[in-house]
């Protein structure tokens, strides 16, 4: 069924346009915010209808020509056809609507710190097709689109992308389709190339025999089996600090905004307070936030090993990094470690209810919550509110230009 002349009044976090007509809500693949278009219904659900755009009947006033030739196929970027000022407004709306809907809190003037909107990513992840082409997934599909460049990748990755493509294609030509995907991470002067392959021994031998002078650090990864050529990590700088970042370590991808993110979170800290960092990873956020007086909790043992090394690299003296699940903490632990402030930067799913309950039952006054998902952030703020906290301040940092993703920092305070 075809619906004509539907106006796109909002954008979902996955980039689909939102339209309303005859009291029905449509989620529309391929639609641009602000335009009017004809659509075709794909699937009807209980509360909304899924559809795809057929054609634009009135162009959006916010439209801009996407600079990427792959934009209309590739699923990597979702709002590159909207000018950057409007992207920021859409992200403000995304956050404020989530908090208003869930917490009944009106935020009048949310500040979002803007970013360079191209060449900002220090890491990209690519699929490899049967011919050895580096590829992204197509929009809303498992099909692949081969690419020769990625405008979001930092300049050093882009400079080396053709050489990496030639290397991957030579592997596929000689060894067959043994590579699932790769990730490329760069600190601006070096490359760490992770190759995910089901034949790590064969691939390692091939690279040593045929490409032993490669200028890259390479990890060949097959589940828990890993073979390394060169180093298994890179060193990144955040202001005056240095961090070892290994193959699986979490590190914020926007190299222009890392300092802004941590400085604004740091502004919510009280001086000389001991900080507990749940989900601390390799200790980067802990150290960037508080310099010293840190306790970090992280379930990944290899990340904790890197966290301890990062503490030594940066000459910390009062720190403890513990390889435990975040549920490990309790009131006794809080009192023993003399914790006064907690920071959390959980996965997109947000915090476990039991962790919120444990934190709320302590005497901790300030919780600094860093989130990449406004919906789960709002849900967790409401759970804290139900246990005697209030939302004191909130600010956002645009870490993901050309997409609807955004990083938010909230200060949640015990009343």
């Amino acid at each position: 069924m075809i619906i004509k002349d539907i106006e796109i009044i909002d954008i979902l976090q996955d980039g689909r346009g939102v339209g309303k007509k005859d009291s029905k809500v449509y989620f529309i693949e391929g639609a641009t915010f602000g335009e009017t278009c004809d659509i075709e219904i794909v699937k009807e659900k209980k509360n909304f209808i899924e559809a795809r755009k057929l054609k634009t009947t009135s162009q959006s006033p916010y439209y801009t020509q996407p600079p990427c030739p792959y934009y209309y196929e590739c699923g990597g970027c979702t709002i590159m056809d909207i000018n950057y000022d409007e992207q920021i407004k859409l992200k403000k709306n995304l956050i404020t609507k989530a908090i208003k809907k869930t917490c009944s809190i009106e935020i009048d003037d949310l500040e979002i710190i803007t970013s360079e909107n191209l060449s900002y990513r220090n890491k990209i992840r690519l699929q490899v097709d049967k011919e050895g082409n580096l590829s992204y997934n197509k929009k809303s599909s498992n099909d692949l689109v081969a690419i020769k460049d990625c405008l979001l990748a930092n300049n050093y990755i882009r400079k080396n992308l053709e050489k990496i493509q030639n290397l991957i294609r030579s592997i596929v030509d000689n060894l067959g389709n043994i590579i699932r995907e790769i990730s490329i991470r760069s600190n601006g002067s070096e490359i760490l190339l992770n190759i995910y392959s089901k034949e790590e021994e064969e691939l390692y031998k091939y690279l040593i025999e045929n490409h032993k002078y490669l200028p890259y650090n390479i990890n060949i990864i097959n589940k828990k089996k890993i073979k390394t050529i060169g180093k298994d990590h890179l060193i990144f700088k955040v202001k005056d600090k240095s961090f070892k970042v290994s193959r699986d370590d979490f590190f914020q991808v926007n190299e222009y905004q890392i300092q802004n993110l941590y400085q604004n979170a740091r502004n919510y800290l009280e001086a000389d307070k001991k900080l507990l960092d749940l989900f601390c990873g390799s200790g980067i956020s802990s150290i960037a936030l508080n310099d010293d007086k840190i306790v970090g909790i992280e379930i990944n043992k290899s990340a904790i090993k890197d966290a301890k090394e990062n503490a030594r690299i940066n000459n910390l003296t009062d720190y403890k990094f513990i390889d435990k699940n975040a549920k490990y903490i309790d009131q006794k632990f809080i009192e023993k470690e003399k914790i006064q402030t907690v920071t959390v930067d959980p996965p997109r799913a947000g915090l476990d209810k039991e962790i919120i309950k444990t934190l709320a039952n302590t005497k901790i006054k300030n919780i600094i919550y860093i989130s990449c998902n406004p919906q789960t952030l709002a849900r967790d703020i409401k759970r804290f509110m139900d246990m005697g906290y209030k939302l004191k301040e909130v600010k956002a940092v645009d870490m993901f230009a050309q997409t609807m993703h955004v990083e938010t920092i909230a200060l949640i305070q015990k009343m």
Side-chain angles (χ1 to χ4, degrees):
M1 182 177 176
I2 294 173
I3 309 292
K4 290 186 172 292
D5 294 326
I6 188 164
E7 184 182 358
I8 308 305
I9 58 173
D10 203 353
I11 293 285
L12 299 176
Q13 202 161 1
D14 63 10
R16 288 181 295 171
V18 179
K20 289 183 180 179
K21 198 164 191 177
D22 300 327
S23 302
K24 294 179 180 179
V25 178
Y26 298 84
F27 295 165
I28 305 157
E29 185 68 42
T32 300
F33 175 68
E35 75 175 353
T36 303
C37 57
D38 294 344
I39 65 172
E40 182 179 30
I41 291 175
V42 174
K43 186 184 293 184
E44 294 197 34
K45 297 197 173 182
K46 184 178 179 181
N47 298 317
F48 61 90
I49 298 169
E50 293 183 349
R52 65 182 182 91
K53 184 175 84 170
L54 295 176
K55 68 175 182 178
T56 299
T57 56
S58 177
Q59 193 171 87
S60 168
Y62 315 114
Y63 175 81
T64 186
Q65 178 65 39
C68 176
Y70 310 107
Y71 173 71
Y72 290 107
E73 286 186 274
C74 175
C77 297
T78 54
I79 53 172
M80 191 180 267
D81 58 350
I82 299 171
N83 71 60
Y84 188 62
D85 287 344
E86 197 62 29
Q87 289 186 27
I88 294 299
K89 291 178 184 177
L90 286 169
K91 293 182 186 190
K92 282 186 181 183
N93 189 49
L94 181 73
I95 297 166
T96 54
K97 276 204 317 184
I99 293 174
K100 180 180 179 181
K101 180 180 179 181
T102 305
C103 307
S104 301
I105 297 172
E106 292 268 8
I107 299 173
D108 295 328
D109 190 22
L110 175 68
E111 180 185 356
I112 296 188
I113 299 169
T114 58
S115 172
E116 296 288 334
N117 53 57
L118 295 175
S119 300
Y120 65 81
R121 289 189 67 98
N122 57 46
K123 181 184 178 183
I124 60 172
R125 198 174 184 102
L126 298 164
Q127 307 298 309
V128 178
D129 69 16
K130 292 180 180 179
E131 287 74 43
N133 297 308
L134 299 181
S135 309
Y136 279 118
N137 284 109
K138 291 186 177 181
K139 293 181 187 291
S140 303
S141 170
N142 290 323
D143 294 337
L144 300 178
V145 52
I147 58 109
K148 293 182 179 178
D149 191 9
C150 175
L151 300 187
L152 297 195
N154 72 21
N155 290 327
Y156 199 75
I157 293 176
R158 294 179 64 192
K159 179 182 175 182
N160 282 273
L161 201 56
E162 184 178 358
K163 294 176 185 176
I164 294 171
Q165 171 64 90
N166 292 339
L167 171 65
I168 298 301
R169 192 171 284 126
S170 78
I171 293 168
V172 172
D173 288 346
N174 285 277
L175 302 181
N177 186 28
I178 66 167
I179 302 175
R180 304 192 312 275
E181 61 183 42
I182 69 168
S183 71
I184 310 168
R185 181 175 258 164
S186 173
N187 58 10
S189 59
E190 292 181 279
I191 294 280
L192 180 64
L193 178 62
N194 287 338
I195 303 177
Y196 298 85
S197 172
K198 57 188 177 182
E199 301 290 346
E200 81 286 349
E201 290 285 354
E202 186 180 3
L203 179 50
Y204 177 79
K205 182 179 177 182
Y206 171 79
L207 291 176
I208 291 296
E209 291 177 353
N210 297 278
H211 296 280
K212 61 183 176 181
Y213 296 114
L214 277 171
Y216 308 129
N217 304 292
I218 300 176
N219 291 309
I220 305 166
I221 303 167
N222 179 11
K223 295 182 179 178
K224 293 186 178 181
K225 296 179 181 177
I226 299 162
K227 301 287 284 187
T228 299
I229 300 171
K231 299 182 296 184
D232 66 351
H233 67 277
L234 295 179
I235 299 295
F236 283 82
K237 297 280 289 185
V238 179
K239 201 175 179 182
D240 58 344
K241 296 181 175 66
S242 299
F243 296 101
K244 175 186 176 183
V245 180
S246 296
R247 60 183 180 275
D248 294 326
D249 286 348
F250 173 75
F251 187 70
Q252 294 286 351
V253 298
N254 189 320
E255 56 190 45
Y256 298 103
Q257 291 281 66
I258 295 172
Q259 178 59 31
N260 283 332
L261 178 71
Y262 291 133
Q263 183 57 56
N264 278 276
R266 187 183 179 117
N267 290 342
Y268 292 155
L269 282 171
E270 295 177 308
D272 299 320
K273 297 293 184 182
K274 197 162 191 179
L275 177 71
L276 170 63
D277 184 6
L278 296 181
F279 312 100
C280 71
S282 54
I284 294 163
S285 59
S286 318
I287 298 167
L289 280 172
N290 210 41
D291 299 325
D292 224 323
K293 295 185 178 179
I294 294 165
V295 176
I297 304 286
E298 168 63 50
I299 197 169
N300 186 317
K301 291 185 178 182
S302 129
I304 285 293
K305 183 180 177 182
D306 283 351
K308 291 176 180 177
E309 188 162 345
N310 283 327
R312 291 191 291 269
I313 289 170
N314 290 286
N315 302 312
L316 269 64
T317 58
D318 183 3
Y319 66 89
K320 185 181 289 185
F321 290 105
I322 304 167
D323 57 333
K324 294 284 187 180
N325 189 294
K327 294 179 183 179
Y328 168 77
I329 65 166
D330 57 18
Q331 176 61 25
K332 185 178 178 181
F333 174 83
I334 297 291
E335 291 176 356
K336 178 186 175 185
E337 298 296 338
K338 299 179 181 178
I339 302 300
Q340 294 150 314
T341 303
V342 173
T343 181
V344 294
D345 188 354
R348 291 187 60 77
L351 289 176
D352 184 276
K353 283 192 288 188
E354 289 303 310
I355 293 175
I356 292 176
K357 185 177 178 181
T358 297
L359 291 172
N361 286 333
T362 70
K363 297 177 181 178
I364 292 171
K365 179 183 177 183
N366 292 330
I367 295 167
I368 300 166
Y369 194 136
I370 301 174
S371 171
C372 61
N373 187 336
Q375 281 73 34
T376 55
L377 171 66
R379 179 202 69 198
D380 291 348
I381 290 171
K382 180 63 168 63
R383 287 174 177 172
F384 276 113
M385 289 170 63
D386 291 342
M387 301 193 74
Y389 282 78
K390 64 180 178 180
L391 177 62
K392 178 70 173 175
E393 292 184 43
V394 63
K395 185 177 285 191
V397 181
D398 186 22
M399 305 292 285
F400 312 101
Q402 315 302 347
T403 81
M404 277 299 291
H405 297 291
V406 61
E407 206 83 3
T408 310
I409 313 163
L411 175 59
I412 304 167
Q413 200 168 76
K414 181 161 276 189
M415 291 189 290

